Amino acid sequence: MTTDSFYSSKIEHLKKDKNAIVLAHYYQEDAIQDVADFVGDSLELAKKAAQTKADIIVFAGVYFMAETAKILNPTKKVLLPDLLAGCSLADGCPPDAFADFKAKYPNHKVVTYINTSAEIKAMSDYVCTSSNAEKLIRSIPINQPLIFAPDQNLGTYLNKITGRNMVLWKGSCIVHEAFSLEKLIDLCLEYPEAKIVAHPESEDPILRIAHCIGSTSQMRNFIINSPFKTFIVATEVGILHQLSKEVPNKKLIPAPSRKDNSCACSECAFMKINTLEKVYHCLLDETPEVIVNSSLSKKALIPIEKMMQLS
Ligand code: 13P
Ligand code: SF4
């Protein structure tokens, strides 16, 4: 028995004993995805968390995702295998600085990406994910000035496709901002038949040459349903785990990073801080638990619920 199968079978037993579910983002390590009851993108995971009848949700993802799950379903016990699983977007948008930023634009409404803390959500009029951001922004009257935070790459892309001029907070994702255009072009020359799929957290030069731009699940659906056979994938490499099982006849090439080739650059270090062993221990000991102050939770829920209704 391998170490992974040892922990997986313990986790399966604990899930039944405790009426618990494991929700995992596509960027989690393979063994965690394999033990999860559901693997999805940010929006799908939020929906699952809101609907579950389980008593315990083990959220194998990052802090803002587990916090959103707790806000959506506050009577459940929400566990995060490692509380240090942060996010460069959420961590790069501190509430005090954002309050000052927001105060400079009193006529603007605030749209925030789900990759933020509960405090930022509580200061927002709308919350979105990468899969519904365009739809949400198009639902707001064009003459309503908007702030978009915290991802400037996603914000730039949304301004471009919706014709808006949203004021952008200058945050970015350390994984998606690191793709190298130069190396990507070299790869396209090597695989001229390849289609490029990119997450909108990527920088504009990458998005300009992409054949499909979308959330993690939208990228997956494009690859699964496309008649083409070769894809260069500009997002966190964890997405390739399920895909390589679902479309074993297709060639999936991770987009190259600007960083040194020797590191696993398109892995999110925050996502990968969770391990199967930590999932096991957190379910066994029912800790660490994600707690959200109830008045903050109620305020943050208002813009999240608008998003859930739209989706
Ligand atoms: P989605 O899951 O919405 O595609 O977001 C990607 C991401 O970076 C999550 O942290
Ligand atoms: Fe945050 Fe980027 Fe990691 Fe997603 S991939 S959790 S946006 S740092």
Side-chain angles (χ1 to χ4, degrees):
M1 190 184 238
T2 63
T3 316
D4 277 359
S5 54
F6 170 79
Y7 285 123
S8 298
S9 77
K10 295 263 181 210
I11 291 166
E12 291 300 348
H13 281 111
L14 284 171
K15 284 198 292 189
K16 286 196 190 84
D17 288 353
K18 297 184 179 230
N19 188 26
I21 53 161
V22 176
L23 301 181
H25 192 273
Y26 284 114
Y27 301 168
Q28 290 293 286
E29 65 173 41
D30 298 355
I32 296 180
Q33 293 191 35
D34 290 343
V35 86
D37 297 279
F38 180 77
V39 183
D41 71 3
S42 307
L43 181 64
E44 292 166 340
L45 290 167
K47 284 183 182 168
K48 283 280 170 199
Q51 290 159 0
T52 186
K53 299 272 184 287
D55 296 316
I56 296 178
I57 301 170
V58 177
F59 208 113
V62 291
Y63 192 88
F64 77 81
M65 295 179 177
E67 188 178 57
T68 305
K70 181 70 184 174
I71 293 167
L72 280 163
N73 209 339
T75 62
K76 307 296 175 188
K77 184 177 266 191
V78 177
L79 306 172
L80 182 65
D82 191 321
L83 287 182
L84 294 178
C87 166
S88 64
L89 283 167
D91 301 344
C93 190
D96 288 353
F98 188 70
D100 292 346
F101 180 76
K102 187 181 159 183
K104 287 191 206 151
Y105 305 98
N107 301 327
H108 289 53
K109 288 203 186 281
V110 176
V111 181
T112 51
Y113 195 29
I114 198 164
N115 299 39
T116 53
S117 64
E119 287 83 356
I120 299 292
K121 289 184 177 81
M123 284 187 244
S124 306
D125 297 288
Y126 307 91
V127 166
C128 65
T129 75
S130 50
S131 57
N132 58 23
E134 179 182 351
K135 187 174 175 190
L136 183 121
I137 286 161
R138 288 193 192 280
S139 76
I140 304 169
I142 192 78
N143 55 355
Q144 171 59 59
L146 298 174
I147 289 173
F148 184 82
D151 188 353
Q152 60 182 327
N153 291 321
L154 177 59
T156 302
Y157 169 68
L158 290 166
N159 273 343
K160 202 162 145 180
I161 58 172
T162 62
R164 300 200 74 125
N165 187 22
M166 298 186 292
V167 177
L168 306 180
W169 176 269
K170 303 256 182 279
S172 56
C173 161
I174 47 165
V175 177
H176 292 91
E177 71 175 358
F179 294 119
S180 158
L181 181 64
E182 209 182 348
K183 291 186 197 168
L184 179 57
I185 290 169
D186 287 346
L187 207 52
C188 292
L189 294 174
E190 198 179 333
Y191 297 97
E193 73 286 12
K195 299 291 163 202
I196 302 169
V197 290
H199 196 282
E201 289 172 17
S202 308
E203 291 181 339
D204 182 61
I206 304 287
L207 297 181
R208 276 174 193 261
I209 60 168
H211 300 93
C212 162
I213 300 168
S215 75
T216 311
S217 290
Q218 289 164 343
M219 295 167 77
R220 282 171 40 77
N221 291 339
F222 178 81
I223 293 170
I224 292 168
N225 298 320
S226 164
F228 296 100
K229 294 273 183 254
T230 308
F231 301 88
I232 301 173
V233 187
T235 191
E236 216 270 1
V237 283
I239 187 182
L240 302 184
H241 177 58
Q242 303 291 338
L243 271 174
S244 53
K245 291 192 262 181
E246 287 157 331
V247 285
N249 57 333
K250 296 194 177 182
K251 188 170 179 61
L252 308 171
I253 309 164
S257 166
R258 272 198 290 268
K259 297 180 198 161
D260 183 341
N261 284 340
S262 62
C263 68
C265 301
S266 55
E267 282 195 346
C268 173
F270 298 110
M271 286 278 183
K272 296 312 198 252
I273 205 169
N274 294 326
T275 61
L276 194 63
E277 189 180 345
K278 288 180 190 173
V279 171
Y280 164 67
H281 283 294
C282 95
L283 187 48
L284 180 70
D285 303 333
E286 300 187 21
T287 186
E289 185 180 353
V290 173
I291 308 280
V292 188
N293 162 291
S294 90
S295 78
L296 175 64
S297 180
K298 282 184 190 127
K299 281 188 202 145
L301 182 62
I302 298 167
I304 300 173
E305 272 191 332
K306 285 186 199 159
M307 171 185 83
M308 301 301 265
Q309 279 156 16
L310 191 86
S311 309

